[in-house]
Amino acid sequence: MRSAAFDAFAPAPGERLLDIGCGAGEVARQLGAQVGKKGHVAAVDRSALAISVASSRHDGTPVDYAVGDVTALDAPDGHFDGVRCERVLQHLTDPDGALRELIRVTRPGGRVCVIDTDWSSYAWDGFDHMAEVAGHFPFPDPGAGRTVRARMVRAGLLATTPLPVTLRFTTPEDAASVVPFFDPHALGLCVEPDLTKRFLDSVRESAERGDFLFAFTMWITMGRVAGA
C-alpha cells in the first residue's frame, strides 16, 4: 500500500512536503531521500512518543519532526508542494475540517494525498467473534477511506483519483502488525476480558489449523489544489 501511495504522490527533488500522522517516520525519511538536500519534509504526529521515536531514528535526510494537530497546523498558507496524510481521518470527529487544513497549507497546483482505511470492508474466515470484537473499537469514522474522494470534491480539490488497495493476512502475527483487532494490547484497552479470551483462543486455533484469513481495503486518494 505504501509503495502504491509513494508512486501516486511522486515526490520530486527540491520539493517541500508534509507528512501528517508520520508515526516513527519511515515514510518521511523515504520522502526526504527523494527530495534531497534542496528539499524539505515536515513530519508531524499528534503523539509525542511517536515523534520521540522518529527523532531517534533520524538518518540525516532533510526531515524535521514535530508534534502537531492536523486541524491546526503550524504552517503558512500555501507552504507545501504536497501533503501526505496516512490513517489519520478515521480517528477524527471532523475529518472535513482536517482536510480543509491540509488544503490550506498546500500551494495552488500542489497535491494532497490521503490514505485511510475502510473498516467496513473487512472480511475474515477461520475464526469466531470478529464482528463482536470490531464493534468495541472506537473509530469515529470507520469508513474514512472510501469517503475521502467525496470530501475532496466538496472541498474543491481537482483531479481527484481514488485507488483501492486490499490487504490480506494469513497469519494473526502479520495481521497484528497493522490491524488493532489482533493486537493483544489494543484488545485489552477496548474489549472485555472474557470476549478477548474467546476471540484470541479462536484465532489461535485457526492459526494452528492454517486456515486464518483476514482482509480489508485501504484507499489512496489524490487531489490537486485549484489555482495554479
Side-chain angles (χ1 to χ4, degrees), residues 20 44 46 68-73 85 88-89 92 97-99 101-102:
I20 289 286
V44 175
R46 69 177 180 178
D69 179 357
V70 67
T71 65
L73 295 169
C85 179
V88 171
L89 297 193
L92 303 180
L99 182 58
E101 184 70 348
L102 296 179

Side-chain angles (χ1 to χ4, degrees), residues 143-162:
R146 62 182 160 80
T147 65
V148 169
R149 182 171 183 265
R151 295 183 189 282
M152 285 186 171
V153 170
R154 290 196 298 267
L157 287 175
L158 306 177
T160 56
T161 306

Side-chain angles (χ1 to χ4, degrees), residues 117-123 142 146 215-219:
T117 310
D118 177 9
W119 287 117
S120 67
S121 71
Y122 73 80
R146 62 182 160 80
F216 67 98
T217 298
M218 296 188 71
W219 290 84

